[in-house]
Amino acid sequence: GLFVWHLKNTGIRQVPCQFVHLCRAANDRLITFQYFNFLKRMYVTQYNKDLSQRAKPKSDSVASPFCELQQLDQDKKVIHKISPISPVHQPLSETISRNELREMASAAETEDSVAPVRAESKEDRQWKEMKLRLDDLPGILARLSKIKLTALVVSTTSAGFAMAPVPFDLTCFLLASLGTGLASCAANSINQFFEVPFDSNMNRTKNRPLVRGQISPLLAVCFAASCGVPGIALLTLGVNPLTGALGAFNIFLYTCCYTPMKRMSIANTWVGAVVGAIPPVMGWTAATGSLDAGALLLGGILYSWQFPHFNALSWGLREDYSRGGYCMMSVTHPGLCRRVALRHCLALIGLSTAAPVLDVTTWTFPVISLPLNLYISYLAFRFYRDADRSSSRKLFFCSLWHLPMLLLVMFTCKKSFLEKEGKDDLLGGNHGRALEIGLP
Amino acid sequence: PPPHSCSDWIGPPDKHSNLRPIIFYVPPEESPLERRLREARQEAQACNQRFWAQQNRAFRQEKEEFIYSRLKAKGLEIRDDTGKKATLNAEEMADFYKDFLSKNFRKHMQYNRDWYKRNFTITFLMGQVALVRALRWLRWKKKNVGN
């Protein structure tokens, strides 16, 4: 009974946190987060209704490439539920921008999306005055900052915080989440600022605020600065300098490395994966104040996860990438694309096994997570061998639920703080990482 | 846009370039700084329009040619029995996408550099104009309060 309650409790807390925001800086990534909606949104909207900090995940950079890819039309549910953010604009714009992946969505979804699509396209064909209306501003800024993606990023950070082997500190947790959210908003806004003509040419992104002229570039930059500076300051002064430094570094990586690299070399995917991996590390360092092996492990898991997720998604967007001039593996090196996805699925198995070795979880974790990881590896293998639309879609959809499940299982198998201390007393050795973790 | 309007107007996406054209408002007493900003924006718009219209046109054309040549090689007609256009599946198109991307790589690199430069210049000019306007408004306010 107790266990069930505990599970439910953690589940409730963890579910929103475990939505990985794969939104890599890459345009694609950004979309991925939104795609996550499929599962996450249902949870995210339920739990994060009052969360005003739905900033775009910094991991947008990593996720960004994915984000674009993840333009799943699974937003049927999302359309219904995502009311808090921007009731009118957000769901509609997302619906419209998902045209590309419409085929991916279930038929039922299309029905829901048709009505808003029609309304928006009519509006689209008119000439609009370029004057900023104050009541439109919240919706515009929400879309500019890719707020759903940010929410996912913040969830990942919370997961990192929760996995850290220290007693839970609510103030620290809230400050870390807020700071990360603000930094993510800033990074996403700058990304959109850089990509206006490219976004106009891709179906997924053609309804962004800067593309539609709803906000001036100057205002977008000012907004980014007014989110980024307080966000990083909050992390540095309110949490600890290490987390602040990681946050600033992630913003830089996303906006100045990932975004331009998307058009220059396929290496952007790896940079984007790092961007996605940093938020959970930030969550961990916010809790413990130091960069432990556990933090790197969590970051490593998210890093590896990005590849099957993104590569599978990008498989269906090859035409748009080619026309838009984006250098993605799926277009230029398709074999490598599939190999890397498979490689990293197998790496996940290895990383899950390393978790108990580093005292992050108990040995139950690799055992329970093995079927999950084997299944996604199997789908990655099928994708590798078949290299077609259906296998890429299967892999992509699997990655959507695989990560939340993995993080949930990880949390339930978390090595108890007290357990570790007890072990230390017994053995008198230096096992307890908990003890090594300095006091904040 | 209506003739009496005092702001810029943005239109629906262009058929060829997918970019939205902007009609800029020219105020009667436009300062040299404001004129520089407007001209920079117009220039950027024209340049973007040219580039993307040409890119999209080339893409569509080359895609048609590719499909035609592939279908020919397979011995099929461009239109099947029902009169619908025959298409290749995504895997067959992959070669074309890869080819098109690598062919246009240098063009994209140049465009990127150009676009980033223009974007920064325009935003910086916008900042300057906003600052000048704010100072002017403050001075006017002070004068009014004084009176």
Side-chain angles (χ1 to χ4, degrees):
Chain A
L2 254 177
F3 173 76
V4 170
W5 173 85
H6 169 72
L7 198 63
K8 252 174 85 184
N9 210 19
T10 54
I12 288 170
R13 252 195 310 130
Q14 282 306 305
V15 162
C17 300
Q18 294 178 350
F19 293 135
V20 180
H21 54 77
L22 295 177
C23 302
R24 265 212 239 173
N27 307 327
D28 311 321
R29 291 258 185 187
L30 209 50
I31 302 186
T32 45
F33 265 76
Q34 295 174 342
Y35 298 154
F36 259 126
N37 308 327
F38 169 58
L39 283 178
K40 293 187 190 177
R41 293 220 190 175
M42 286 180 60
Y43 294 112
V44 168
T45 47
Q46 275 171 24
Y47 289 112
N48 296 349
K49 267 206 181 100
D50 307 310
L51 233 119
S52 44
Q53 290 301 328
R54 294 246 211 134
K56 182 174 113 160
K58 278 190 297 187
S59 57
D60 234 16
S61 36
V62 172
S64 313
F66 287 131
C67 298
E68 286 190 345
L69 294 180
Q70 299 194 341
Q71 283 254 338
L72 288 179
D73 286 327
Q74 303 278 356
D75 290 333
K76 174 178 163 186
K77 296 180 184 111
V78 176
I79 291 167
H80 291 311
K81 293 185 187 190
I82 299 187
S83 27
I85 305 291
S86 28
V88 179
H89 302 286
Q90 197 107 331
L92 290 182
S93 57
E94 283 173 16
T95 322
I96 307 284
S97 38
R98 304 255 168 85
N99 286 335
E100 273 226 324
L101 297 179
R102 218 153 253 295
E103 32 182 323
M104 281 198 177
S106 55
E109 269 187 8
T110 356
E111 278 172 28
D112 273 347
S113 344
V114 163
V117 170
R118 267 196 227 117
E120 262 240 0
S121 46
K122 190 149 178 252
E123 212 184 271
D124 238 19
R125 280 184 258 125
Q126 298 168 337
W127 278 81
K128 298 251 181 66
E129 191 177 4
M130 282 179 90
K131 200 180 242 182
L132 186 65
R133 283 177 194 83
L134 279 170
D135 33 322
D136 287 341
L137 196 62
I140 292 172
L141 291 180
R143 264 173 302 161
L144 186 69
S145 60
K146 297 190 210 166
I147 209 147
K148 290 193 186 98
L149 185 54
T150 298
L152 292 176
V153 171
V154 172
S155 309
T156 320
T157 309
S158 318
F161 194 96
M163 285 305 297
V166 287
F168 185 77
D169 178 354
L170 185 66
T171 330
C172 191
F173 173 74
L174 292 175
L175 288 177
S177 303
L178 183 60
T180 308
L182 287 173
S184 175
C185 280
N188 289 345
S189 306
I190 297 289
N191 169 263
Q192 291 199 21
F193 167 71
F194 282 159
E195 304 254 289
V196 177
F198 314 118
D199 283 346
S200 335
N201 272 282
M202 292 193 59
N203 265 324
R204 184 171 62 96
T205 53
K206 63 187 180 189
N207 285 299
R208 290 189 171 168
L210 281 170
V211 172
R212 295 171 78 187
Q214 290 172 319
I215 191 175
S216 81
L218 179 69
L219 211 59
V221 173
C222 289
F223 173 70
S226 61
C227 280
V229 172
I232 298 299
L234 192 65
L235 288 175
T236 314
L237 303 170
V239 180
N240 59 56
L242 178 62
T243 313
L246 282 173
F249 176 67
N250 214 18
I251 295 182
F252 166 75
L253 206 62
Y254 182 65
T255 58
C256 303
C257 298
Y258 175 72
T259 303
M261 267 181 95
K262 276 196 290 186
R263 309 188 58 80
M264 296 201 287
S265 133
I266 59 170
N268 69 73
T269 311
W270 281 267
V271 173
V274 175
V275 173
I278 289 185
V281 176
M282 282 174 65
W284 184 290
T285 60
T288 69
S290 65
L291 210 61
D292 313 314
L296 297 175
L297 177 80
L298 218 60
I301 287 181
L302 249 83
Y303 176 83
S304 284
W305 179 83
Q306 309 280 353
F307 291 99
H309 180 78
F310 185 71
N311 287 359
L313 187 56
S314 71
W315 200 255
L317 295 177
R318 284 177 286 178
E319 170 162 6
D320 261 9
Y321 286 153
S322 167
R323 188 167 54 89
Y326 283 110
C327 297
M328 298 296 172
M329 269 195 279
S330 60
V331 181
T332 57
H333 297 78
L336 177 71
C337 179
R338 303 189 319 269
R339 266 200 313 275
V340 164
L342 179 61
R343 218 187 286 161
H344 281 272
C345 281
L346 298 173
L348 279 174
I349 300 180
L351 286 168
S352 303
T353 320
V357 173
L358 297 172
D359 269 346
V360 177
T361 65
T362 61
W363 278 99
T364 340
F365 176 61
V367 172
I368 301 184
S369 67
L370 193 65
L372 277 175
N373 292 332
L374 279 178
Y375 181 62
I376 199 176
S377 303
Y378 166 70
L379 288 179
F381 175 71
R382 288 287 300 275
F383 176 50
Y384 173 73
R385 198 189 54 187
D386 302 338
D388 62 0
R389 201 68 191 275
S390 84
S391 56
S392 73
R393 285 177 56 177
K394 280 209 197 94
L395 178 60
F396 174 70
F397 287 130
C398 172
S399 72
L400 290 180
W401 58 258
H402 170 270
L403 187 67
M405 282 293 292
L406 191 71
L407 291 176
L408 185 65
V409 170
M410 194 180 213
F411 185 74
T412 55
C413 297
K414 177 183 173 185
K415 203 155 216 184
S416 149
F417 184 45
L418 300 165
E419 218 180 87
K420 269 193 267 184
E421 272 194 333
K423 196 164 80 160
D424 274 354
D425 290 337
L426 273 174
L427 303 172
N430 221 10
H431 294 270
R433 233 148 273 246
L435 293 186
E436 282 173 358
I437 290 164
L439 293 165
Chain B
H4 60 267
S5 142
C6 285
S7 52
D8 301 333
W9 282 70
I10 191 166
D14 177 79
K15 189 150 46 109
H16 300 291
S17 69
N18 294 320
L19 302 173
R20 288 171 182 263
I22 299 179
I23 293 184
F24 298 97
Y25 167 67
V26 190
E29 341 82 27
E30 190 183 40
S31 73
L33 187 67
E34 287 173 351
R35 203 184 82 237
R36 258 174 64 201
L37 171 63
R38 180 175 54 85
E39 287 175 352
R41 289 173 76 190
Q42 279 168 330
E43 212 185 308
Q45 183 169 274
C47 177
N48 281 346
Q49 172 73 16
R50 248 196 328 263
F51 179 81
W52 286 106
Q54 195 255 342
Q55 271 293 109
N56 292 339
R57 205 179 316 131
F59 184 81
R60 223 167 298 154
Q61 203 172 327
E62 292 182 25
K63 186 176 174 188
E64 288 292 326
E65 289 173 1
F66 179 80
I67 291 179
Y68 183 68
S69 67
R70 274 295 167 93
L71 284 173
K72 207 71 181 294
K74 290 212 288 196
L76 298 166
E77 283 304 312
I78 192 89
R79 282 179 195 275
D80 64 13
D81 299 325
T82 62
K84 273 199 346 207
K85 271 182 109 171
T87 53
L88 300 173
N89 69 27
E91 301 321 311
E92 292 166 328
M93 293 303 300
D95 289 330
F96 167 67
Y97 297 144
K98 176 174 179 173
D99 205 39
F100 188 82
L101 189 65
S102 32
K103 261 202 298 197
N104 288 281
F105 183 72
R106 192 149 325 128
K107 232 192 277 177
H108 277 292
M109 284 294 103
Q110 191 146 10
Y111 173 75
N112 289 348
R113 232 166 296 161
D114 193 45
W115 157 250
Y116 270 67
K117 229 188 300 178
R118 282 187 208 265
N119 200 18
F120 278 125
T121 315
I122 289 173
T123 309
F124 184 68
L125 282 171
M126 277 184 175
Q128 281 183 308
V129 167
L131 203 65
V132 164
R133 284 202 190 132
L135 289 172
R136 206 186 304 154
W137 180 82
L138 277 172
R139 232 174 286 145
W140 172 86
K141 198 100 197 277
K142 207 158 96 167
K143 197 158 51 136
N144 268 17
V145 168
N147 286 351

